[in-house]
Amino acid sequence: MQMEERKKKVLEAIIRDYIATAEPVGSRTISRKYNLGVSPATVRNEMADLEEMGLIEQPHTSAGRIPSQIGYRYYVDYLMEKQSVTNEVKKYIRTNLAHQIRAQKKLVWGAVKLLSQITNYAALLIVPAYSQNVLSHIQLLPLADNRLVLILVLDNGHVEHQVLEIQKALSQEEIAELSDMLRQALCGLTVDQWKQMNIQALSSQWHSRIDLLREIMDSIEDALTVEYEQKLYLSGALNIMNQPEFKNVEKVKGVLSLLEEQQIMEDLMLKSGEGPRNISIRIGTENSYEDLSACSLVTATYQLNGKVIGTVGVLGPTRMEYSKTVGLLEYMSDLLTEALKGK
Amino acid sequence: MQMEERKKKVLEAIIRDYIATAEPVGSRTISRKYNLGVSPATVRNEMADLEEMGLIEQPHTSAGRIPSQIGYRYYVDYLMEKQSVTNEVKKYIRTNLAHQIRAQKKLVWGAVKLLSQITNYAALLIVPAYSQNVLSHIQLLPLADNRLVLILVLDNGHVEHQVLEIQKALSQEEIAELSDMLRQALCGLTVDQWKQMNIQALSSQWHSRIDLLREIMDSIEDALTVEYEQKLYLSGALNIMNQPEFKNVEKVKGVLSLLEEQQIMEDLMLKSGEGPRNISIRIGTENSYEDLSACSLVTATYQLNGKVIGTVGVLGPTRMEYSKTVGLLEYMSDLLTEALKGK
DNA sequence: ATTAGCACTCGAAGATAGAGAGTGCTAACA
DNA sequence: TGTTAGCACTCTCTATCTTCGAGTGCTAAT
């Protein structure tokens, strides 16, 4: 988009000031604080133009201007300078995650908590549904009496377990045999694939125990479904209450309710953009949910073995510190990708 | 506490009405709606007495009365009739939990969700820290390459797993040997006991691999610590925003922040009372946190093998439907105890 | 093209007034 | 002696009005 240099400066000043103060910005403020070397009157003329272009708007006639959604969009696309993470923050993050990298879940939790803490917005992380993941290992293990534990390992590094209650006790050998059979039949398949698998095909090898087999299959599905429900990591949701635009309980409730809807948040976060690290910025109604019309969602993906395996993001008011947030998310994306390497 | 019959009736009427409407109750309303057969003037006299006794209070001179915290306390102790769960609700709960009883975690989640949904308050469930639980089974299992998975089973029926990254691959035999060794050394001990165990004592049998051993011990601790952080189950926290006394964002924030503090909620919930099913009602400041001074917490315990292994509860405004809530929690307590039987 | 000046607009905040709910007190009553 | 009707009084709530000031748009001068 073409625009005179000074208009850009005015727009940027308005946005920066509004982000900082949450108050409509007047012409006087801009000419004084963001020394553009022109008088308020000149600024007013520019503002009138910017308003006509739809980049800023007036809450009412005698108030200053606030950025419109389009204004923010223009800002993040053309004006904003991404702010790199300071070394201090980098160090802080690394120290806090150093002990967490053993287990993927802990790592991911730690990352989300840090993000919300540093930004003061809500932070989220999504591990996509398992449907496309390949079962890389499966094992049945006897516990006590008539209890078995089923271990499932997926190619994205996640491990799940599920406890099985069975009717008749099985011998060690039977368990081992069954375990082998499951391994041969299911390993290498995606979750989607084995879900559609005909249990008959399996049971031909073990028809004597078709009930047990069915129970096991149900149990596997259970294990991956429990996880399905737990694959959204959310931290700092209450931070939105610190924002002056969320002084109203109804608005807060709208946002928090939506945040609890795993499915919706997943959909929102998985539509990732094209930029580097797949950074995506969705502003206001671009999130396509009424309740998020006053929020912006910034997301980045992270990878394992060159494949995107998750999305991490920050949800704040549209009046968000985009430049900082983007920098931080890029850093976090790289960090996660790095930490997962070789797992 | 001794009190004239009519005073009791007036107090109960005030509390019932206030619970239903959240509005101060006037003498006219009481004499009309709760046909006591006396005039408003008489009711006013009773109210004056009740106020002097500290059971009710006036927000301001020309408003009706609202119950004081002491009033609620008197109500739940002496006046309230516990309301049994309707068959309809019982059926609803049973149907919804029927498929969940396989795994303890799922059962517990299901119960909490149902509670919040039925009451429209926040529901919580706490599984106490593992420190007093006995490790009943431990097993090491090879995954791929240099990864092991460690399975821990506690006597309260909980199963945990933890993935281990090791430096040098171990043979099947070595793993089995190590697994046996761990089992012999640790099974039967409480979590507290083995935490204090001297790693040297263990390593005497396996000094060649003391590093690995240390890593494993750390990992066990990790596994139980992760769980430590996840042993509070919370659902319907946003329901408090439906209460008229929580129209203020600051109040909501106070409560929600506290609800996220696992440690605090644990402390609150584990101080359980003496009644049947250990039903405990804590009203307002009895919860000893400023942020909960407008809330009441009703809890019940549930058991496994005659031993209390968890507490389930409901958090709502002090203006809570105590009679319904208590009945529901008793039912839920029995149901959980029943469902866990024999596990 | 920029700027100073100025009349104008509109919301925020405070002041004022009236309505209504509910009380406490008094005196009458059963 | 306990209960009730009556009544003046208190205090919140709501609406209306006023004032204040920030910020604007327009015009004319530079």
Side-chain angles (χ1 to χ4, degrees), chain B residues 34-79:
Chain B
Y34 299 83
N35 44 354
L36 303 186
V38 291
S39 76
T42 310
V43 173
R44 279 205 288 282
N45 287 329
E46 299 287 23
M47 283 165 112
D49 293 349
L50 287 169
E51 182 160 7
E52 198 162 350
M53 295 160 79
L55 295 166
I56 58 179
E57 49 199 26
Q58 257 180 315
H60 55 84
T61 338
S62 68
R65 304 302 210 289
I66 62 176
S68 71
Q69 187 172 312
I70 301 174
Y72 284 123
R73 172 50 63 196
Y74 186 86
Y75 171 73
V76 302
D77 285 346
Y78 303 107
L79 303 180

Side-chain angles (χ1 to χ4, degrees), chain A residues 102 106 137 139 141 143 151 153 159 161 163 215 219 222 226 238 241-242 247 249-250 253 257, chain B residues 102 106 137 139 141 143 151 153 159 161 163 215 219 222 226 238 241-242 247 249-250 253 257:
Chain A
R102 186 177 313 196
K106 264 190 129 177
H137 191 83
Q139 178 138 9
L141 186 72
L143 281 186
I151 314 285
V153 187
V159 180
H161 77 255
V163 180
E215 198 180 341
S219 192
D222 255 26
V226 167
L238 301 185
M241 295 194 190
N242 297 329
K247 276 298 154 228
V249 177
E250 288 310 314
K253 199 180 154 196
S257 310
Chain B
R102 186 177 313 197
K106 265 190 129 177
H137 191 85
Q139 177 138 9
L141 187 73
L143 281 186
I151 313 286
V153 186
V159 180
H161 77 253
V163 180
E215 197 179 342
S219 193
D222 254 26
V226 167
L238 301 186
M241 294 194 190
N242 297 328
K247 277 298 154 227
V249 177
E250 289 310 314
K253 198 180 155 197
S257 309

